Amino acid sequence: TTKEMIWSSNTSDHGGTKVQMQDNGNLALMDNENKTVWQSFDHPTDTLLLGQILRNNTKLVSKVSRADFSSGPYSLSLVSNRDLCLMYSSGSDSEMDLSFSYWSMSKDANTVNLLNGSPSYVELNSTGFSLMSEKGTVISVYMVPCPSFCMVTLDPSGNLLFKVFSSNLLTTVHQAPASNCDLPLYCG
């Protein structure tokens, strides 16, 4: 049999000596002084866990389907350093590439604006999504209560699903957009 590397953290020259799965779900590569060399929270895929941050230069990207883990057409990111948006992109390499926002946090009724400002990152915390300034000040909050084990997943359908784990069950407690007919290409 041939041994083939299927994934790498690209940190071979950073002194990582051990891997630790933290209580919050973050997989961290640590050095001899227990400093983090690499962590999964800095490289989100389609899911954010409680306490995880989505920075300006990162995004959640849906899977194509539940069986196909390739990147799908939907993404969640901070757009122009001002709003958290769900985006659709046809992914076409031609001039006909179709890309647009179909949900924004600022226009959702669950959003409470506290201050004016440009967010630097989004944090999933016990109140839902918080848009945060560079100094850590809350600018606005998307109010969806998230108890001790909460996660947000960008589903292959384009829905942003807030899920809670309780009594050995993972239950969807909220979705954005609220109606499936607000999804691209869903309702005739």
Side-chain angles (χ1 to χ4, degrees):
T1 61
T2 305
K3 292 183 181 183
E4 181 179 339
M5 183 181 348
I6 57 171
W7 177 84
S8 172
S9 64
N10 294 319
T11 56
S12 60
D13 58 344
H14 290 82
T17 58
K18 61 184 171 185
V19 174
Q20 180 182 60
M21 177 58 81
Q22 299 171 342
D23 291 341
N24 61 1
N26 186 26
L27 180 66
L29 178 61
M30 314 294 279
D31 66 13
N32 283 332
E33 297 174 359
N34 283 331
K35 292 182 181 170
T36 303
V37 173
W38 179 94
Q39 60 182 345
S40 61
F41 270 21
D42 290 339
H43 306 276
T45 54
D46 66 344
T47 301
L48 286 179
L49 299 177
L50 193 64
Q52 193 169 1
I53 290 172
L54 187 66
R55 300 196 184 281
N56 268 331
N57 59 346
T58 58
K59 60 184 174 181
L60 293 187
V61 177
S62 70
K63 297 180 277 197
V64 169
S65 69
R66 285 180 174 56
D68 183 347
F69 292 92
S70 302
S71 294
Y74 304 104
S75 63
L76 175 75
S77 62
L78 278 172
V79 176
S80 301
N81 295 347
R82 59 179 168 71
D83 201 1
L84 184 65
C85 294
L86 285 168
M87 304 290 294
Y88 171 81
S89 177
S90 65
S92 172
D93 290 333
S94 72
E95 292 179 19
M96 298 299 292
D97 180 27
L98 181 62
S99 183
F100 58 89
S101 169
Y102 60 96
W103 175 88
S104 69
M105 183 174 140
S106 66
K107 294 178 183 171
D108 195 290
N110 288 334
T111 300
V112 176
N113 293 311
L114 303 172
L115 300 169
N116 288 328
S118 295
S120 291
Y121 61 94
V122 180
E123 180 181 12
L124 179 61
N125 55 38
S126 61
T127 59
F129 275 136
S130 292
L131 266 59
M132 310 292 287
S133 73
E134 194 171 317
K135 294 180 180 180
T137 304
V138 179
I139 295 171
S140 59
V141 179
Y142 184 68
M143 303 291 288
V144 178
C146 278
S148 60
F149 187 81
C150 175
M151 61 192 272
V152 174
T153 299
L154 183 52
D155 192 73
S157 69
N159 273 311
L160 189 64
L161 304 177
F162 286 76
K163 300 177 181 183
V164 173
F165 185 76
S166 179
S167 302
N168 292 324
L169 293 172
L170 188 61
T171 306
T172 299
V173 295
H174 183 77
Q175 77 175 35
S179 169
N180 283 341
C181 282
D182 291 332
L183 295 171
L185 315 174
Y186 194 83
C187 293

